[in-house]
Amino acid sequence: MITFATVFVILFFIFILQTIWLFIAELAGKDLDLGLITKFLLFSMPRIIPLVLPLSILLSSIMTFGNLAENYEFAAMKSSGISLQRAMRSLTVFIVVLSIIAFFFANNVIPFAEYKFINFRKNIAQLKPAMAITEGQFSDVGFYNIKVNKKSGENGNKLTGITIHKKSINSDGSKTVIKAKNGELISSEQSSVLQLVLNNGNYYEDITPKKYSDRKKLPFAKSSFKKYTINIDLSQLNNVDVDEEKVTNSNNMLTANELNYTLDSLQKNYKTEINSYSENINLRTIIENKTFNDVADKELVKRRQTLPSDILSLYDKRKKSEILKTASSNLSSIGYSIDGSRTNLESKQKNINNHLLALYDKFVIAYACFMMFFIGAPLGAIIRKGGLGLPIIFAVLIFISFHFMNTFGKRFAQENGITPFLGSWMSSIILTPLAILLTYRATNDIGLINMDVVLAPAQKLIQKLTSNKKKTTENGQR
């Protein structure tokens, strides 16, 4: 217990320093007092637990069982008839209880902390408007992506080298770009509107013609300005309502029950939209035109009944031309519609995947605690080394592998490459056989690597080559 508590505190402190480093650009130079910075860090602490807890269990179990094996206490236990499973029994109960606590922590505390954390960042952005925009990179603020080369002024509200990409409200994919030499951020604590005043710049906007044939020309409008004002509603930042204590649409802020309820609605809407779009496309493929329906020639009607493979052969050249023009226009229209709808559906599917990943993560952290114990405890008994030397090396290697596979699986699942279930549980599925293997080898007093399995074939090969050489030598002497 003492070893676990000590390791947990040390690792937690290290990860807190990492959090400070990640948000140093957001906190430094913003004229924030110590109380605001402390509250900022307190709200960000719970998200660290899913990283610190499994690593702490892994490292402390390796150290504890490594010390017992190094001091021959396991040998004394076994001589007294106490097996490794019996020695691990009390700690296994403790880990099971800790895993259950970890689940409830991930299901209740972390979502609440995430809600407070994003709200707090939003409040700071209101009080200190420069925090809404990061220097040297695009910042997502409301309906705009804003990049500035340099910020100056007392509160960083003087901006130089401004580039703004306005998000398209419609699904037509049109783009709007605003560039300005300099500008200024103006806000008030009493207002949720952030005002961005731009000076000496240009405004570029794509124009989407009504005729699909004209869209290939990619028309756009350009204008210049000496002064241009943009009002940004900060109440929409992160989609958080500060005044009302209600669940937002961020998946990290929802409990398991809330995620299940939200997922049910999202999946129903997704299926409804696919069915509606399919019916719409089906209706649009039906060409209502007299060219297809009115045929004056009776002989042509007879020819129609034969249903030739080339239907166009039933019509004269003028009607063929009309048919092809109508079909081409419909194909272009449907193509643009499919491209726009595909982007929209992919975004909705990604949102569903993120909610599923957030749901599975609550169970993964609980299982990871249990799994890491059954990797660390047998591994410590096998390597027979305690302290902070070899155990740290093994713990870091295993945890890095776990974290890499976990991150890779989630990213791959977000892009719909694999199912969210497999993406969340990938690391656990891969490392569980390792836990079983180590437990089996430690229980049966088998080393980490059975060198006889590796060396025996090599020894046999050497003996065979040596005997053949001796026979060749003897035959040569005769």
Side-chain angles (χ1 to χ4, degrees):
M1 291 290 292
I2 297 175
T3 303
F4 170 74
T6 304
V7 170
F8 181 83
V9 170
I10 292 173
L11 292 176
F12 193 81
F13 179 73
I14 292 172
F15 278 90
I16 284 292
L17 292 179
Q18 183 195 24
T19 301
I20 296 174
W21 179 256
L22 288 174
F23 292 104
I24 190 68
E26 192 167 340
L27 297 174
K30 301 297 187 303
D31 195 26
L32 301 176
D33 56 40
L34 183 61
L36 288 176
I37 295 176
T38 303
K39 192 178 288 188
F40 185 92
L41 293 175
L42 284 174
F43 289 147
S44 65
M45 283 181 183
R47 63 167 63 185
I48 301 173
I49 299 298
L51 290 173
V52 176
L53 191 57
L55 180 57
S56 300
I57 292 173
L58 177 63
L59 181 56
S60 59
S61 59
I62 294 176
M63 292 173 61
T64 301
F65 282 80
N67 280 326
L68 292 174
E70 188 177 14
N71 296 323
Y72 300 102
E73 294 186 34
F74 273 136
M77 290 181 186
K78 289 177 182 178
S79 63
S80 303
I82 300 174
S83 63
L84 179 63
Q85 291 90 337
R86 186 177 173 184
M88 293 171 60
R89 190 174 299 166
S90 59
L91 286 176
T92 302
V93 173
F94 170 74
I95 293 299
V96 170
V97 174
L98 189 62
S99 299
I100 296 172
I101 294 173
F103 170 77
F104 283 103
F105 186 88
N107 190 44
N108 297 284
V109 179
I110 293 179
F112 178 77
E114 283 291 315
Y115 172 76
K116 290 292 185 181
F117 180 70
I118 293 180
N119 272 280
F120 189 70
R121 289 182 68 188
K122 188 257 180 189
N123 289 336
I124 293 177
Q126 256 182 250
L127 296 173
K128 308 291 180 180
M131 287 194 68
I133 300 172
T134 304
E135 186 178 291
Q137 66 184 45
F138 280 99
S139 302
D140 192 4
V141 183
F143 292 104
Y144 301 90
N145 283 322
I146 303 174
K147 177 184 177 183
V148 298
N149 294 334
K150 186 178 180 182
K151 295 194 297 184
S152 58
E154 185 177 353
N155 295 317
N157 60 330
K158 303 289 185 181
L159 311 178
T160 306
I162 305 168
T163 303
I164 301 174
H165 290 178
K166 185 178 180 180
K167 299 176 185 177
S168 177
I169 301 175
N170 302 320
S171 60
D172 55 5
S174 60
K175 300 179 181 65
T176 301
V177 180
I178 305 171
K179 296 180 72 70
K181 291 184 178 179
N182 55 69
E184 182 180 3
L185 285 169
I186 302 173
S187 71
S188 171
E189 296 183 11
Q190 289 76 29
S191 175
S192 63
V193 176
L194 175 64
Q195 198 173 60
L196 177 56
V197 180
L198 305 175
N199 302 315
N200 300 321
N202 296 289
Y203 187 99
Y204 308 88
E205 183 178 8
D206 287 345
I207 297 176
T208 306
K210 294 182 179 179
K211 293 184 179 180
Y212 290 99
S213 58
D214 294 337
R215 294 185 180 183
K216 296 180 180 179
K217 299 177 182 179
L218 302 175
F220 69 94
K222 176 183 177 183
S223 62
S224 59
F225 57 84
K226 290 186 177 180
K227 187 174 182 179
Y228 183 76
T229 302
I230 297 175
N231 294 318
I232 303 172
D233 187 5
L234 286 179
S235 64
Q236 298 300 317
L237 186 63
N238 293 322
N239 295 320
V240 176
D241 189 344
V242 182
D243 299 323
E244 296 183 36
E245 292 291 331
K246 65 178 183 179
V247 178
T248 68
N249 65 343
S250 176
N251 49 71
N252 293 325
M253 300 180 189
L254 304 178
T255 63
N257 291 332
E258 292 163 347
L259 281 167
N260 280 322
Y261 178 80
T262 306
L263 277 167
D264 185 60
S265 300
L266 290 174
Q267 288 171 344
K268 284 182 179 178
N269 291 336
Y270 183 75
K271 291 178 181 177
T272 301
E273 186 164 343
I274 289 178
N275 292 333
S276 175
Y277 182 73
S278 301
E279 292 175 1
N280 183 35
I281 287 294
N282 187 41
L283 291 173
R284 292 175 66 177
T285 55
I286 300 173
I287 304 175
E288 296 180 359
N289 195 299
K290 292 183 178 180
T291 307
F292 295 88
N293 301 323
D294 297 337
V295 180
D297 193 348
K298 292 182 180 180
E299 184 65 26
L300 195 58
V301 174
K302 293 180 181 179
R303 288 169 55 195
R304 266 190 171 192
Q305 293 175 354
T306 61
L307 295 176
S309 58
D310 185 9
I311 298 177
L312 288 175
S313 63
L314 300 175
Y315 301 94
D316 56 28
K317 292 183 179 180
R318 181 180 61 81
K319 290 182 179 179
K320 284 182 182 179
S321 177
E322 291 179 9
I323 292 171
L324 292 173
K325 285 181 180 178
T326 304
S328 177
S329 177
N330 282 351
L331 284 174
S332 299
S333 175
I334 292 171
Y336 283 115
S337 177
I338 289 174
D339 290 338
S341 297
R342 181 175 57 188
T343 303
N344 183 39
L345 290 174
E346 286 176 353
S347 176
K348 289 181 181 293
Q349 183 62 57
K350 187 175 181 180
N351 188 30
I352 293 173
N353 291 343
N354 286 332
H355 279 75
L356 286 170
L357 290 171
L359 176 62
Y360 296 140
D361 275 348
K362 301 179 187 303
F363 298 92
V364 169
I365 181 178
Y367 181 75
C369 296
F370 186 77
M371 180 184 66
M372 287 300 176
F373 174 73
F374 279 94
I375 291 177
L379 185 60
I382 291 172
I383 63 176
R384 298 178 182 180
K385 285 290 182 180
L388 296 174
L390 194 60
I392 287 183
I393 296 174
F394 278 103
V396 169
L397 289 175
I398 293 171
F399 183 76
I400 287 176
S401 301
F402 172 80
H403 186 62
F404 173 77
M405 288 184 288
N406 194 33
T407 304
F408 174 78
K410 288 180 182 178
R411 295 301 174 100
F412 204 34
Q414 284 177 348
E415 302 301 327
N416 223 26
I418 56 177
T419 62
F421 178 84
L422 185 59
S424 293
W425 288 94
M426 178 184 290
S427 54
S428 300
I429 292 172
I430 294 175
L431 290 180
T432 295
L434 176 63
I436 296 172
L437 177 64
L438 290 174
T439 304
Y440 172 78
R441 298 183 76 87
T443 303
N444 294 279
D445 290 328
I446 305 174
L448 184 62
I449 300 174
N450 191 353
M451 296 304 294
D452 292 337
V453 176
V454 180
L455 296 177
Q459 289 175 350
K460 289 181 180 179
L461 180 63
I462 293 172
Q463 289 176 358
K464 186 176 180 179
L465 292 173
T466 304
S467 61
N468 289 337
K469 187 176 181 180
K470 285 182 178 178
K471 288 179 181 180
T472 304
T473 305
E474 291 175 357
N475 292 332
Q477 290 177 353
R478 290 176 184 176

